[in-house]
């Protein structure tokens, strides 16, 4: 699955991955169902700011409108409060402000009110600024790194500086696909076992999260030979990296009785590197997991698909192995099969215990 490359939700590769999972679950004796769902996703297709023929690397803010303009650049002092724009010739021009203190959306709205046709926001920290606009401002908004942005603002303050701003970005509706597997006739599981199979753009997602996808499939194969399989559903979630879209779609589509019938949802995310297995989640369940792993406090609400179930009052367990230097990078290429096997074995023991205690 890692050999497919990045499995970004809504792409043909993610669809291929879902087909692979369907085939594997069927071979293991399960029925499968694909649950599709749609959501809108922003994409930056390349945004630039050109000064004197030299392009700078702009980062379109998430949610910005597309647009193009070539105008003198106006250096606005501070962070772009309404007063910062007063008495400046911003009308019809591109403005540049600093990051911080007020939301990106307010800077954009203030700039638009002053008549600006585009806004550049300069990072105040090192590295790339990847910001998100909450509303839909009427002008294109781009971020620049501190190293590129500060000299540009200083120059615009010192002398007339014309810039060309190009923002190529769009909002697309994408279709995600959860792959659901269960034995014929099993309509009400007591445990739901899952992990996301999508990855972020540019990362093959071996640890995040082919590892959890593989452990989920492995548990399905192990359980297929036991009576436990009639108490379980297995789900490979899509769209996790876009904000838990797949798990949220699943819990929204589920009947309330289905969710209240679950004794546990087990989520596996990043279980293929680091020796120490960690298991977070609902205290009633971490008590069972206690002897087998390190139990960190309060991880129920963040970061991965178990959170969608916890929000619906389903008891959850979240299996992971801590931080990974290759997280969300092109280097997330390998995992240790021994660790996957260990995770699966531990989870098998825990499932047995959960289903034993009533
Ligand atoms: N796999 C990560 C979450 C994670 C991080 C698990 C570290 C275990 C250890 C997940 O895919 C992710 O990146 N989540 C996002 C939030 C999500 C709602 C987009 C995150 O943690 O920032
Ligand atoms: Zn993940």
């Amino acid at each position: 699955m890692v050999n497919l490359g990045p499995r970004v939700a809504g792409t043909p590769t993610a669809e291929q991955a879902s087909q692979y999972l369907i085939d594997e679950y069927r071979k293991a004796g399960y029925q499968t169902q694909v649950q599709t769902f749609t959501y809108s996703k922003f994409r930056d297709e390349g945004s630039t700011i050109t000064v004197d023929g030299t392009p700078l690397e702009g980062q379109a803010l998430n949610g910005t409108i597309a647009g193009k303009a070539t105008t003198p650049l106006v250096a606005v002092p501070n962070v772009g409060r309404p007063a910062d724009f007063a008495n400046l010739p911003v009308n019809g021009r591109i403005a540049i402000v600093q990051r911080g203190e007020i939301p990106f959306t307010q800077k954009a709205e203030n700039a638009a009110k002053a008549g600006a046709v585009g806004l550049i926001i300069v990072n105040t920290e090192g590295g790339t600024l990847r910001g998100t606009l909450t509303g839909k401002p009427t002008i294109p908004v781009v971020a620049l790194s501190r190293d590129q942005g500060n000299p540009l603002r200083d120059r615009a303050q010192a002398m007339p500086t014309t810039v060309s701003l190009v923002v190529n970005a769009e909002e697309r509706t994408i279709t995600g696909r959860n792959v659901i597997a269960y034995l014929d006739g099993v309509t009400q599981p007591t445990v739901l076992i899952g992990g996301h199979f999508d990855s972020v753009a540019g990362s093959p997602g071996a640890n995040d999260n082919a590892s959890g996808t593989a452990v989920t499939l492995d548990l399905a194969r192990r359980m297929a030979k036991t009576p436990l399989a009639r108490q379980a559903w297995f789900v490979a979630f899509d769209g996790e990296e876009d904000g838990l879209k797949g798990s949220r779609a699943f819990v929204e589509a589920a009947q309330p009785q289905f969710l209240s019938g679950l004794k546990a949802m087990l989520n596996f995310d990043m279980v293929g590197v680091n020796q120490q297995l960690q298991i977070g989640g609902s205290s009633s369940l971490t008590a069972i997991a206690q002897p087998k792993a390190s139990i960190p406090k309060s991880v129920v609400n963040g970061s991965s698909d178990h959170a969608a179930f916890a929000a619906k009052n389903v008891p959850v367990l979240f299996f992971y192995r801590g931080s990974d230097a290759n997280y969300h990078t092109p280097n997330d290429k390998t995992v240790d099969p021994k660790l996957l096997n260990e995770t699966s074995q531990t989870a098998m023991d825990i499932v047995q215990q959960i289903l034993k205690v009533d």
Side-chain angles (χ1 to χ4, degrees):
M1 190 146 78
V2 169
N3 290 339
L4 293 173
R7 301 171 300 280
V8 179
T11 65
T13 313
E15 192 170 345
Q16 258 179 287
S18 71
Q19 192 54 56
Y20 165 82
L21 291 166
I22 290 167
D23 294 344
E24 292 304 312
Y25 278 106
R26 288 202 176 143
K27 280 189 229 161
Y30 291 88
Q31 312 260 311
T32 58
Q33 196 185 316
V34 176
Q35 177 182 44
T36 59
F37 53 94
T38 59
Y39 56 97
S40 131
K41 183 171 178 175
F42 175 82
R43 219 166 45 155
D44 184 359
E45 282 151 353
S47 300
T48 55
I49 297 159
T50 309
V51 193
D52 286 345
T54 308
L56 306 175
E57 268 174 61
Q59 238 73 47
L61 264 76
N62 222 296
T64 180
I65 60 163
K68 252 188 208 182
T70 299
T71 79
L73 180 63
V74 181
V76 176
N78 309 318
V79 297
R81 289 201 172 81
D84 298 334
F85 291 93
N87 308 318
L88 286 174
V90 182
N91 199 25
R93 296 181 172 176
I94 298 162
I96 184 167
V97 300
Q98 284 228 306
R99 178 187 190 180
E101 294 177 39
I102 57 172
F104 299 129
T105 308
Q106 274 178 32
K107 297 174 198 275
E109 281 168 0
N110 297 341
K113 248 185 223 148
V117 294
L119 179 67
I120 301 170
I121 299 175
V122 181
N123 202 358
T124 46
E125 294 162 19
T128 312
L129 164 57
R130 293 188 195 280
T132 296
L133 297 162
T134 43
K136 199 88 196 163
T138 53
I139 58 172
V141 186
V142 172
L144 270 185
S145 69
R146 188 173 60 184
D147 293 351
Q148 297 200 319
N150 282 343
L152 179 61
R153 200 197 36 218
D154 293 348
R155 178 180 154 159
Q157 221 149 29
M159 61 172 121
T161 301
T162 293
V163 295
S164 288
L165 176 68
V166 178
V167 177
N168 261 321
E170 65 167 10
E171 206 67 61
R172 277 197 316 152
T173 299
I174 70 163
T175 300
R177 331 175 152 259
N178 293 332
V179 176
I180 306 172
Y182 45 80
L183 288 186
D184 194 15
V186 176
T187 52
Q188 177 63 65
T190 1
V191 294
L192 190 145
I193 296 171
H196 73 92
F197 73 92
D198 66 310
S199 64
V200 296
S203 175
N207 191 32
D208 187 10
N209 185 33
S211 69
T213 309
V215 167
T216 303
L217 177 59
D218 186 58
L219 282 165
R221 288 175 180 147
R222 287 180 196 237
M223 287 169 74
K225 305 179 190 101
T226 76
L228 295 178
R230 298 209 69 82
Q231 300 207 53
W233 273 31
F234 304 88
V235 186
F237 294 106
D238 200 357
E240 191 270 353
E241 300 289 5
D242 293 327
L244 315 183
K245 297 292 196 231
S247 47
R248 288 201 177 131
F250 185 96
V251 297
E252 287 313 322
Q255 300 292 334
Q257 314 90 276
F258 177 93
L259 295 175
S260 60
L262 291 174
K263 277 192 190 144
M265 186 273 178
L266 276 63
N267 178 34
F268 299 86
D269 195 352
M270 299 176 69
V271 288
V273 304
N274 298 333
Q275 282 306 310
Q276 181 62 61
L277 179 63
Q278 303 184 44
I279 307 178
S282 313
S283 50
S284 57
L285 294 176
T286 53
I288 296 176
Q290 186 88 62
K292 300 182 169 67
S294 112
I295 313 292
K297 289 192 175 65
S298 71
V299 291
V300 180
N301 293 320
S303 345
S304 189
D305 292 313
H306 59 282
F309 287 81
K312 298 285 181 187
N313 298 315
V314 176
V316 297
L317 280 179
F318 174 34
F319 293 69
Y320 64 107
R321 290 179 181 273
S323 57
D324 176 358
N326 299 324
Y327 172 64
H328 287 185
T329 74
N331 292 326
D332 182 6
K333 290 190 288 207
T334 53
V335 295
D336 182 347
K338 267 206 334 248
L339 297 177
L340 300 186
N341 195 50
E342 246 178 63
T343 310
S344 177
Q345 184 59 58
T346 302
M348 190 75 184
D349 293 349
I350 291 172
V351 167
Q352 259 155 348
Q353 284 199 48
I354 291 171
L355 296 180
K356 234 183 329 198
V357 293
D358 249 305

